[in-house]
Amino acid sequence: MKFGIDMGHNAPPDTGAVGWAKEDDLTKAVGNQVIDKLEALGHEVVNCTPRRASSVVDSLRRRVSTANARNVDLYVSIHFNAFNGRANGTEVFAASSAGRRYAQPVLNQIINLGFYNRGVKNGSHFFVLKNTNMPAILIECCFIDSWRDRNLYGTDAMVNAIVKGLTGQEPPQAQGGGSEAGGSGEVTRDEQVLKLQQQLNRLRVRDRNGKVLVEDGLWGSNTASAVARFNDLMAIRSDDSASAATWKALEDIFEKPILRQSHATGKAVRYVQFRIGTAIDGIFGPNTARSVRRWQASVHITADGVVGPQTWSKLLG
Ligand SMILES: [Zn+2]
C-alpha cells in the first residue's frame, strides 16, 4: 500500500498550536516515525509535507498536489488539537465513507492508550480532505493544552497506535530501543502526576474508593477521581483534570497561612473546613472557629480557634 503522510503545519507561515509542546514538533516527530515504521513493514510512503510555503493556503495546496500527483492510496494528515485546556482526547476526521473505514481503526488504537474517545467525525470542511483524490483522514492525536493528555502522551506509543490502526500490522520496535526520552517535542510524563498524588495523599483526599493513592506517577482513573474530589472541595470546575486553578489551590493550602475568625477566606479555609468536618463555604466565621476549637481539643492541641503552625502540622502531618 502507498501512504501519503502529511505532518501538519511545519511550513511557515503555516504553523500549529502551542501548549505543553509545539504542535509542529509533535507532528514532525510522530510523522517521521510513522514513515519509518510503515516502510519497515514494507509499505511505500510519500512524505506530503512541504518544506516551505508562501501562505497557509499554499501550504495546504502543496500537500494535496503531492498526494494527487504521486497517486497515493491513502492520505494521512497528522495534527494535535488545542482548545480551552479542559477539552481532551482523540478525534479522527474523514470526508468519505472510504476514509471512515480507515479512520475508525486508527481511532480505536489511540483510544486504547487511554485518550478520551471523541469519535470519527465528518471532515469535509478540511481543505486536505476535500481536495485529495483518494481516501483521506486527519488525525487529531490529542490536545496539547490538556494536562490530562500530556500525562498520557508518548511519541512511541502514539506512532505505534497509528501504524497499527493504518495497517493492522504489529509495528516494529523503534531503532535505539524505542526510548521515550529525547527529541524536542518530548515531555516529562510523570513528575507532575507524582507530585499531585503525593500532595493529595498528604491532604488526605482519597480516591473514589476511599483509598490512598498509589504514588507511581501514572495518571489513571483512581488519581483522576481524587483530583475530581479535590476540585469539588475547592469549588473548581475542572472535572477530573488538574487545571491551573487546582495547582493554585494546592499552593494556597501548602503555604499554611495563619487563619483566624473574620480574617480569612479562600481555598485554605475550604480545606480546613473539609478536614474539621464543618460546612464548606470558604469563609472563616464563628461556626468555623467553633469547629476548629473542637477539633483542636480532639487532637490535644491548644483550642484557640486559630489555624496556626501547630494546627497545620496536625492537619498535614
Ligand atoms: Zn494542526
Side-chain angles (χ1 to χ4, degrees):
M1 186 149 167
K2 192 179 192 177
F3 291 94
I5 300 295
D6 163 19
M7 306 173 204
H9 313 286
N10 283 293
D14 179 0
T15 55
V18 177
W20 42 261
K22 285 187 186 155
E23 185 185 0
D24 292 51
D25 293 342
L26 292 189
T27 61
K28 197 173 179 180
V30 169
N32 277 319
Q33 285 189 46
V34 165
I35 290 175
D36 288 349
K37 294 202 175 191
L38 288 172
E39 286 177 341
L41 288 170
H43 299 283
E44 197 180 331
V45 184
V46 175
N47 184 352
C48 298
T49 320
R51 284 178 188 282
R52 64 188 72 80
S54 60
S55 66
V56 172
V57 174
D58 179 50
S59 166
L60 300 174
R61 282 210 181 104
R62 284 169 186 259
R63 294 164 207 263
V64 168
S65 64
T66 302
N68 288 345
R70 299 288 300 275
N71 202 19
V72 302
D73 299 312
L74 176 66
Y75 179 87
V76 181
S77 187
I78 299 167
H79 285 258
F80 285 76
N81 227 328
F83 185 50
N84 61 359
R86 286 203 298 278
N88 62 83
T90 306
E91 53 201 19
V92 182
F93 292 89
S96 67
S97 53
R100 280 174 179 269
R101 280 197 291 277
Y102 290 101
Q104 192 65 57
V106 170
L107 178 68
N108 294 346
Q109 290 296 330
I110 299 175
I111 294 318
N112 281 344
L113 303 176
F115 293 99
Y116 176 69
N117 185 350
R118 303 175 68 89
V120 169
K121 294 185 174 173
N122 177 10
S124 52
H125 57 293
F126 282 110
F127 186 92
V128 294
L129 299 184
K130 200 169 59 188
N131 293 290
T132 38
N133 297 333
M134 65 291 302
I137 64 173
L138 187 147
I139 307 168
E140 294 280 9
C141 297
C142 65
F143 282 72
I144 57 171
D145 62 344
S146 158
W147 187 89
R148 182 180 190 274
D149 283 1
R150 171 184 169 159
N151 289 301
L152 287 168
Y153 180 76
T155 299
D156 280 356
M158 185 60 71
V159 167
N160 288 339
I162 292 171
V163 170
K164 199 168 177 187
L166 289 174
T167 64
Q169 294 169 287
E170 207 55 52
Q173 284 294 310
Q175 268 136 24
S179 165
E180 290 277 287
S184 53
E186 289 298 343
V187 294
T188 53
R189 294 176 62 191
D190 300 341
E191 279 157 36
Q192 274 196 297
V193 184
L194 180 62
K195 187 176 165 195
L196 194 60
Q197 291 166 334
Q198 289 167 338
Q199 294 198 343
L200 291 173
N201 281 343
R202 211 167 149 218
L203 295 180
R204 303 183 198 190
V205 175
R206 303 306 186 212
D207 72 9
R208 59 193 161 167
N209 303 312
K211 292 235 169 73
V212 174
L213 293 173
V214 178
E215 296 178 1
D216 58 4
L218 298 175
W219 181 263
S221 55
N222 288 342
T223 302
S225 69
V227 170
R229 170 101 174 101
F230 180 74
N231 285 336
D232 191 42
L233 290 170
M234 293 297 121
I236 292 166
R237 298 170 54 87
S238 297
D239 307 326
D240 62 351
S241 68
S243 65
T246 309
W247 288 105
K248 179 70 171 62
L250 288 166
E251 225 178 273
D252 289 351
I253 296 165
F254 282 107
E255 257 171 28
K256 305 178 198 170
I258 294 173
L259 306 171
R260 48 167 59 91
Q261 187 178 335
S262 308
H263 290 85
T265 56
K267 304 304 186 196
V269 173
R270 295 188 74 91
Y271 176 70
V272 169
Q273 291 172 327
F274 154 64
R275 285 297 304 281
I276 65 178
T278 191
I280 300 174
D281 60 3
I283 298 163
F284 201 131
N287 285 335
T288 301
R290 204 161 29 246
S291 300
V292 167
R293 280 194 294 274
R294 199 178 306 129
W295 189 85
Q296 288 170 324
S298 75
V299 296
H300 312 295
I301 58 176
T302 314
D304 58 3
V306 177
V307 179
Q310 200 185 26
T311 304
W312 277 115
S313 77
K314 281 282 177 193
L315 286 168
L316 303 180

